[in-house]
Amino acid sequence: RYHHGFRDIRAGEAIVREGEIISPLAMERMEVLGLLEEAPRWDDLTGALLLTTALTVALSAYVVRAQPLLMTRPRRQWLLVLTLIVAGVSTRLAVPGHVLTPYLFPAAAFSMLIAALLNVELAVFVSAILSVLVGFSAEGSMELVAYVLVGGVIGSLVVARVEQLSSFVAAAVYVALSNAAIVLAFQLRSHMHDTIGLLQLLGMAVGNGVLSASLAYIAFSLTGRVFGITTFVQLLELARPTHPLFRQLLIKAPGTYHHSIVVSNMAEGAAQAIGADPLLVRVGSYYH
């Protein structure tokens, strides 16, 4: 639940003096300031371990059953594992003990990266896993579970077939709108009509969409080559008429060049008709 008591705390104000009875308000202030941090309890650690194990088993079973091609591509497996590790560590740092930061935490960026580089079905499953992790870290907040799940799924669907930069711009807009809708739904349901607090949450929701899409695009641009995954950026580079191979073909074999253009146009039209990737088919026709 979102609290606004932290706005009443003034710098340098003493919370509890020696010998004074601790009031509920003082307890809340100390909790917000992080003065009540306790050493990790064994039951908390055991619960986190059990949850992590259950999610890992569920993901492994899903990959084996529903993603058999991934099992034959070690680099893509490493991409998935590293993405989940970074997501888990980031969740642990950004969510527990914070009020606004969980709403800014760009969980959708991890789902969008998986959708753009691997496939959208796996990205949706990863969104579900991340939503559970964030909700668990936020003391079982159903609001954050829905927030992360809906934003991750929508972002993944938007960038599932990335053919241009505008896909990430559209993802930022859609994720921001879905985040705002979830925030409004839960805040109105709780009958808490704090205008300032609601505006802060909505600001975090919009910032989350922009941050998620930006990070997803940066990671998409950098990790594709590292893990041997051909991205639309590389395909566009190969398809441009000024590419050195194209120029050599035009100068040394103009007839073959013209034939490649005609074949690629036909192949692109066929790809669009059956729902395949037109850009990939066009580039494949050029260099066949």
Side-chain angles (χ1 to χ4, degrees):
R1 186 66 66 187
Y2 182 62
H3 299 285
H4 309 293
F6 68 91
R7 291 191 285 108
D8 299 327
I9 299 175
R10 294 184 292 272
E13 180 181 1
I15 297 176
V16 180
R17 295 179 176 82
E18 184 177 359
E20 182 179 348
I21 298 176
I22 301 177
S23 65
L25 178 59
M27 286 289 292
E28 183 177 357
R29 289 179 175 178
M30 288 190 291
E31 182 178 0
V32 170
L33 291 175
L35 300 178
L36 297 180
E37 294 182 359
E38 299 178 356
R41 295 163 51 103
W42 70 268
D43 47 355
D44 291 336
L45 296 176
T46 304
L49 178 61
L50 289 174
L51 178 67
T52 303
T53 302
L55 293 177
T56 301
V57 171
L59 178 62
S60 301
Y62 173 78
V63 170
V64 171
R65 288 287 187 176
Q67 304 288 335
L69 290 178
L70 187 62
M71 300 300 297
T72 62
R73 299 174 176 177
R75 286 192 177 185
R76 301 194 177 202
Q77 294 176 30
W78 277 111
L79 172 62
L80 176 61
V81 171
L82 291 176
T83 300
L84 291 174
I85 290 175
V86 173
V89 174
S90 302
T91 300
R92 184 67 184 87
L93 295 174
V95 177
H98 298 281
V99 178
L100 291 176
T101 306
Y103 293 89
L104 186 62
F105 175 59
F110 302 103
S111 302
M112 287 191 279
L113 179 63
I114 296 298
L117 292 179
L118 300 180
N119 65 70
V120 67
E121 293 83 4
L122 182 59
V124 170
F125 198 89
V126 168
S127 297
I129 289 179
L130 292 180
S131 67
V132 173
L133 284 177
V134 171
F136 182 81
S137 300
E139 305 296 333
S141 171
M142 277 302 300
E143 180 178 359
L144 285 175
V145 171
Y147 186 86
V148 172
L149 178 61
V150 175
V153 170
I154 290 178
S156 300
L157 294 174
V158 174
V159 302
R161 283 190 175 179
V162 182
E163 296 181 359
Q164 50 190 355
L165 176 60
S166 60
S167 297
F168 288 95
V169 178
V173 174
Y174 284 115
V175 172
L177 291 175
S178 69
N179 289 344
I182 296 297
V183 167
L184 286 172
F186 277 86
Q187 292 301 311
L188 292 175
R189 177 66 177 81
S190 65
H191 306 292
M192 296 179 64
H193 304 297
D194 185 340
T195 304
I196 296 178
L198 182 58
L199 290 176
Q200 288 176 331
L201 288 178
L202 291 176
M204 293 297 104
V206 174
N208 180 288
V210 175
L211 182 60
S212 295
S214 301
L215 292 177
Y217 175 71
I218 294 172
F220 172 78
S221 302
L222 296 177
T223 58
R225 295 181 183 274
V226 175
F227 291 94
I229 300 174
T230 303
T231 65
F232 85 96
V233 177
Q234 295 169 274
L235 292 176
L236 288 176
E237 173 69 17
L238 292 172
R240 63 184 176 87
T242 56
H243 192 279
L245 290 179
F246 258 141
R247 294 188 61 83
Q248 288 186 25
L249 186 63
L250 176 61
I251 295 172
K252 297 181 179 180
T256 303
Y257 173 83
H258 181 265
H259 176 72
S260 299
I261 296 297
V262 173
V263 171
S264 65
N265 289 335
M266 296 173 59
E268 184 178 18
Q272 291 175 341
I274 64 174
D277 188 339
L279 180 60
L280 178 61
V281 172
R282 171 175 281 277
V283 174
S285 300
Y286 285 157
Y287 298 95
H288 179 67

